[in-house]
Each structure stands twice: as structure tokens, then as C-alpha cells.
């Protein structure tokens, strides 16, 4: 027969809580409690945070990530997708990843620039002429540099992905910078967005995307900047039925993981996770195809799309021409170096295109930049 003192129930409860706390901590870290290696019975748990509109390419890409990770690992990885904004905005999701409450996430450049401020310089208005130029500079001149900067923050930059051209939208037409002057413009928590709004003379209102639709409905906000996919799929178009295709900057987006957590995984599982998301060229193609299709549909849904004339575009370029200087001054760090790399890469691309036009080299050649 066993005897218990009055304090025994409390002791048992304390022991249970300690055990439960250990289990919860292990779940957050994605490890088995008993220290055994990952198996289908004790898989490594991977929580992913992002905001991917249902039916969007990003939604499909994260489902592909889960399928690939779990399938290729034979069940040793168990992926939980919180990719509909369940964890909150980008700032909250990034905090969770840095604290290892989540392990992976997808972000816009503006959404992660609070951690790696140099990303904001990539959003310099009217810097890139087209997508091909952008892809070349991002892949050949900037990826390795930013992977080092992310590593300094205990993060792994796995991929550049795709968000798309940013355009201006509003409850009435925004054809020139003066149309935003004095108006309340929703901005993200990034220097690039705030410097842009300042150069337009707009009144800045910083808010998470989840608060944007109600703010448009109540008149708290007049408009802002976004990409074609989010504008089409999230209800923005209904509340702000004018989109001006300014193509003033390009947000590539990033896939990010917690470095300490990834480094602690068996190498085979780490490699699976870092290759489970569709590669950059495929992710880009999917988003670009949908953006093109959605823009074609909007015109038949009572939405007005405005194309800028060359003269109108020149006005936008002139008004924002000094934004890069302001960003470099505000960001500090390696911002000037990053901008110089951007200029170098752009010049390289344009030189290749000019040479290709004369038949001197193939248009897709990337001589001298391999491994950058």
C-alpha cells in the first residue's frame, strides 16, 4: 500500500506541469521530447508563418512546400502552415521566427526590412527598367550579400521569391504625385514606403494589411501601394477601384528560416527544407502569370486601370528621384554598398543587352557573375 501526504497532489501537479512545459518547449523547437531522432512517429515539427491569399500562387507554393518537405523526408518532417495571417502581421511573424516559435516564413521586402534594413534600398523607385534586369541583379549581384546580412541576424535567406510590381491605388484616380498630396496613404513599417509617401506629400498611416479594408471603408485611408495579386484577391479593388500601373518599384519577397534551428537539424532534413519551396524562377513565373491574368479581368469588373503616359511617368520619376539618397542616409549600415552593387549589376545587364543587340554576345549571357 502507498501513502501520500497532503502535499503529494501538489507535487504531482508540479511534476506534470514540468513535463508539459518540456513537451511544449520541444514542440516549439521542433524536436522530440525523449531526444530520439526524427521519425514518422516523432517528426520534427515545422511551423510556417505568412500571409498568402487563398487561391494565390503563394498559397499554392506553401502547400507545395509542405508536400515536398513531408514527402521527401518520409514523414520525419511535419509542417504546420499558418499562411493565412493566423499569426498576425509580418512584424509579429518575424518575431516568432526569431524566437523559434515558428521556423519558416514568407515576407515582403518591406515586411522584413525592420530586421535587415538594407533591404529597403532595393525598393528605390524606378530603379529597374524591367523584370529581366531585376532578376539578373538580384540573383547575380545581391543574393550572397543579403544571405550574409540575414545570417548576422540569425536568419537564413533561402530564396528570393516574388511579390511583383507595386502600383498606386486609390478611391479616385492617382495619375500624378499631386493626387496623393495631403491624402491619407497606408504605408508599411518600412523606410522605403515612408520615404515614398513623404516624397508624394501624403499623410502616412502605418497599419497591418488586415486593418486596411476597414480603413478604406470608413474613409480613414484614401489609398496606398500594392501589387496586382493582392489588389485583386483581397477586396482592395472593391474599396479603392482605381489602380494606376506606376510600376514604381518591385518587391521580390523572401523565404526566411531560423538559422540556429536549421543548423541544429540533421543535414538531410535541412537540405530538404531549403529546397522544398519552388525555385525562384518557378515562383516568379507563377506569380507573374497570375498578375497578368488578374489585371486583364479587373477591367471587366468595374475597376479602372490607369496606364501612365511617358510624360506622366517622367513626373513620378522626378518627384522620387532623390529617394535613394534619403534611404541611404536613414538606413546606414551597408546601404551605400548595396546601392553601388545594384548600379554595377544594372550597368552589367544593360551592357550585355546592348552587346546582344549587335550580335556580340547572347542576350542571356552572364559572363563574369557566376557565384556572385
Amino acid at each position: 500500500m502507498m501513502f501520500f501526504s497532503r502535499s503529494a497532489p501538489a507535487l504531482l501537479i508540479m511534476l506534470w506541469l514540468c513535463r508539459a512545459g518540456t513537451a511544449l518547449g520541444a514542440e516549439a523547437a521542433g524536436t522530440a521530447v525523449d531526444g530520439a531522432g526524427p521519425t514518422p512517429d516523432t517528426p520534427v515539427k515545422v511551423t510556417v508563418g505568412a500571409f498568402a491569399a487563398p487561391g494565390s500562387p503563394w498559397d499554392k507554393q506553401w502547400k507545395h512546400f509542405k508536400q515536398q518537405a513531408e514527402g521527401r523526408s518520409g514523414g520525419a518532417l511535419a509542417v504546420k502552415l499558418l499562411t493565412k495571417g493566423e499569426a498576425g502581421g509580418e512584424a509579429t511573424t518575424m518575431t516568432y521566427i526569431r524566437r523559434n516559435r515558428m521556423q519558416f516564413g514568407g515576407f515582403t521586402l518591406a515586411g522584413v526590412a525592420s530586421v535587415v534594413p538594407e533591404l529597403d534600398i532595393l525598393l528605390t523607385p524606378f530603379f529597374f527598367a524591367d523584370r529581366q534586369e531585376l532578376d539578373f541583379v538580384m540573383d547575380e549581384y545581391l543574393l550572397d550579400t543579403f544571405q550574409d546580412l540575414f545570417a548576422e541576424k540569425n536568419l537564413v535567406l533561402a530564396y528570393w521569391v516574388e511579390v511583383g510590381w507595386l502600383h498606386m491605388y486609390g478611391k479616385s484616380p492617382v495619375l500624378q504625385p499631386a493626387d496623393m498630396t495631403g491624402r491619407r496613404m497606408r504605408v508599411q513599417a518600412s523606410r522605403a514606403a515612408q520615404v515614398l509617401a513623404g516624397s508624394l506629400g501624403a499623410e502616412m498611416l502605418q497599419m497591418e494589411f488586415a486593418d486596411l479594408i476597414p480603413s478604406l471603408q470608413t474613409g480613414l485611408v484614401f489609398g496606398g501601394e500594392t501589387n496586382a495579386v493582392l489588389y485583386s484577391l483581397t477586396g482592395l479593388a472593391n474599396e479603392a477601384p482605381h489602380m494606376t500601373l506606376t510600376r514604381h518599384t518591385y518587391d521580390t519577397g523572401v523565404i526566411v528560416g531560423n538559422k540556429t534551428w536549421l543548423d541544429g537539424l540533421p543535414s538531410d532534413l535541412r537540405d530538404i527544407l531549403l529546397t522544398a519551396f519552388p525555385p525562384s524562377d518557378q515562383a516568379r513565373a507563377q506569380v507573374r502569370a497570375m498578375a497578368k491574368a488578374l489585371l486583364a479581368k479587373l477591367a471587366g469588373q468595374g475597376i479602372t486601370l490607369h496606364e501612365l503616359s511617358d510624360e506622366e511617368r517622367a513626373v513620378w520619376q522626378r518627384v522620387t528621384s532623390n529617394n535613394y539618397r534619403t534611404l541611404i542616409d536613414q538606413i546606414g549600415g551597408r546601404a551605400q554598398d548595396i546601392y553601388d552593387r545594384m548600379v554595377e549589376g544594372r550597368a552589367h545587364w544593360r551592357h550585355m543587352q546592348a552587346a546582344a543587340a549587335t550580335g556580340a554576345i547572347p542576350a542571356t549571357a552572364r559572363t563574369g557573375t557566376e557565384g556572385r
Side-chain angles (χ1 to χ4, degrees):
M1 181 178 292
M2 300 181 65
F3 295 92
F4 295 91
S5 69
R6 294 180 181 179
S7 61
L11 177 61
L12 290 173
I13 291 172
M14 288 179 65
L15 290 172
W16 181 87
L17 287 174
C18 288
R19 174 65 175 173
T22 301
L24 288 171
E27 179 174 353
T31 58
V33 174
D34 59 9
T39 69
D41 294 325
T42 58
V44 172
K45 297 179 180 180
V46 187
T47 303
V48 175
F51 175 71
S56 69
W58 308 300
D59 184 29
K60 297 173 183 177
Q61 288 162 5
W62 280 119
K63 290 176 181 176
H64 174 91
F65 175 89
K66 174 180 172 68
Q67 181 184 46
Q68 287 288 304
E70 294 179 344
R72 288 165 54 193
S73 70
L77 292 168
V79 178
K80 181 178 182 180
L81 297 179
L82 300 178
T83 52
K84 303 298 188 297
E86 295 94 331
E90 290 187 304
T92 302
T93 301
M94 175 53 69
T95 298
Y96 286 158
I97 290 175
R98 298 188 75 190
R99 294 178 178 176
N100 200 30
R101 294 181 65 183
M102 292 180 168
Q103 288 72 48
F104 260 86
F107 300 87
T108 63
L109 294 182
V112 74
S114 60
V115 178
V116 183
E118 287 88 347
L119 286 169
D120 268 325
I121 200 66
L122 302 179
L123 299 173
T124 296
F126 301 103
F127 184 88
F128 295 108
D130 53 43
R131 293 180 177 127
Q132 291 73 28
E133 182 175 276
L134 168 109
D135 291 346
F136 176 79
V137 176
M138 296 294 290
D139 293 344
E140 304 299 333
Y141 276 80
L142 297 175
L143 180 58
D144 288 355
T145 300
F146 273 101
Q147 285 176 330
D148 292 342
L149 288 171
F150 273 75
E152 292 173 6
K153 305 295 184 179
N154 195 36
L155 296 168
V156 172
L157 169 58
Y159 299 94
W160 298 126
V161 281
E162 183 77 4
V163 175
W165 286 116
L166 298 188
H167 311 289
M168 301 302 299
Y169 65 88
K171 298 180 78 68
S172 61
V174 183
L175 300 179
Q176 54 187 340
D179 292 329
M180 287 301 296
T181 302
R183 291 241 169 92
R184 291 177 176 172
M185 176 178 170
R186 181 258 177 173
V187 299
Q188 290 182 274
S190 78
R191 289 181 178 87
Q194 294 166 12
V195 169
L196 174 67
S199 66
L200 302 179
E203 182 180 342
M204 290 176 268
L205 288 180
Q206 181 181 317
M207 63 178 65
E208 298 288 357
F209 193 87
D211 299 321
L212 179 53
I213 297 296
S215 297
L216 285 166
Q217 292 171 337
T218 61
L220 179 63
V221 170
F222 167 78
E225 60 173 345
T226 194
N227 64 81
V229 176
L230 282 182
Y231 180 75
S232 302
L233 296 182
T234 60
L236 272 182
N238 295 328
E239 305 303 331
H242 292 270
M243 171 173 267
T244 303
L245 303 178
T246 50
R247 302 179 182 90
H248 56 276
T249 194
Y250 208 96
D251 194 331
T252 62
V254 293
I255 302 299
V256 174
N258 180 288
K259 187 176 186 301
T260 297
W261 180 82
L262 278 166
D263 289 347
L265 291 178
S267 60
D268 59 333
L269 296 186
R270 185 179 190 276
D271 291 344
I272 287 172
L273 285 171
L274 291 177
T275 56
F277 202 84
S280 292
D281 56 351
Q282 183 179 335
R284 288 165 173 162
Q286 290 170 350
V287 176
R288 290 169 184 177
M290 174 164 275
K292 182 178 180 180
L294 289 172
L295 285 175
K297 289 182 180 179
L298 284 174
Q301 299 174 352
I303 308 302
T304 304
L305 300 178
H306 304 275
E307 283 280 6
L308 295 177
S309 67
D310 291 343
E311 293 77 13
E312 289 169 333
R313 182 173 298 277
V315 174
W316 284 89
Q317 290 173 327
R318 184 172 64 251
V319 168
T320 60
S321 61
N322 286 322
N323 284 28
Y324 80 97
R325 296 184 186 276
T326 304
L327 286 171
I328 289 171
D329 290 342
Q330 290 188 6
I331 295 168
R334 296 186 60 188
Q336 182 66 63
D337 175 55
I338 299 295
Y339 186 77
D340 291 343
R341 295 281 292 161
M342 291 165 61
V343 171
E344 180 186 358
R346 183 179 64 179
H348 187 172
W349 173 257
R350 292 180 181 180
H351 171 74
M352 289 196 304
Q353 298 309 296
T358 64
I361 62 172
T364 57
R366 297 188 175 184
T367 305
T369 64
E370 289 81 7
R372 284 180 184 256

